[in-house]
Structures are given as structure tokens and as C-alpha cells.
Amino acid sequence: LKNSDFFQSGVDPNGIMYMTQRQDEAYFSLYTVGSRGQDLYKMVKLLDGWSDNDALPANVNTAFDEAYPFMASNGFTLYFASNKPGGFGRFDIYRTEYNDATKTYT
């Protein structure tokens, strides 16, 4: 989705967000005040709306830009683009796995 299809204000309307197939989680990138770059955030569907933005941890978000999140259908594998050093070019594709037991990302 484009951000403008989901958010009413506060984010880049042309940014890209991803909503899971069950439509119970949304992942998106956001520049925040004092941030070092664009970071990935998650919101969870509640009974009466959506949770607050939760930034993904520092082992996913870096001092560089992370954007274009995509959660695989297994609900644990998150793909995203980043321009952090060590890649092949401007934005490279990265993968992280969510561990539901420890509530952490690899």
C-alpha cells in the first residue's frame, strides 16, 4: 500500500507500507525527529484500532535507511531494503527472522 491509503497524516503519503495477509500487522518506514535515517516500524491491530508505532530493534534499524518492508506469509521472515554498508549498491535486500518465543529479530 501507499502510506496515503492507510495513514491520514504524519507520514510521507508516497511512502510504501506493508500490511500482512491477515491485516493484523502493518510495517512501514518513517523518518522521526532526531533519527539517523529512515527506520522500520510496526503497528498491531487492536480491538478498537491500531497500536502505537513500535520501532523495530537496533539490530534491524541502523544509522542508515531501512525501507520497503515485506513480511513473508510465514509471519516470521521480514524482508526490507537498506543502504547500510556492506551491500552491492544503493539499496540492497535484507532478511531478518522474528523469534516469537523470545520476541526478538535475528
Side-chain angles (χ1 to χ4, degrees):
L1 299 170
K2 278 186 137 182
N3 283 342
S4 60
D5 295 333
F6 185 80
F7 296 105
Q8 293 180 3
S9 66
V11 298
D12 172 12
N14 295 315
I16 302 297
M17 65 159 300
Y18 178 78
M19 187 176 297
T20 58
Q21 291 177 350
R22 293 187 314 202
Q23 299 185 355
D24 60 347
E25 295 177 339
Y27 294 85
F28 57 98
S29 57
L30 184 64
Y31 286 106
T32 57
V33 175
S35 73
R36 303 160 301 202
Q38 198 172 9
D39 288 330
L40 294 178
Y41 289 80
K42 173 184 173 181
M43 292 188 329
V44 177
K45 180 87 173 196
L46 305 172
L47 291 175
D48 60 347
W50 288 89
S51 68
D52 290 334
N53 302 342
D54 262 341
L56 298 187
N59 62 329
V60 176
N61 286 323
T62 67
F64 298 89
D65 292 322
E66 282 75 38
Y68 307 107
F70 175 84
M71 179 61 76
S73 60
N74 67 12
F76 298 105
T77 306
L78 179 69
Y79 296 92
F80 61 96
S82 179
N83 62 356
K84 63 185 176 180
F88 294 105
R90 292 184 175 211
F91 275 88
D92 297 297
I93 304 297
Y94 292 87
R95 180 187 84 203
T96 185
E97 299 285 331
Y98 181 71
N99 184 325
D100 197 37
T102 61
K103 308 292 187 214
T104 60
Y105 291 87
T106 60

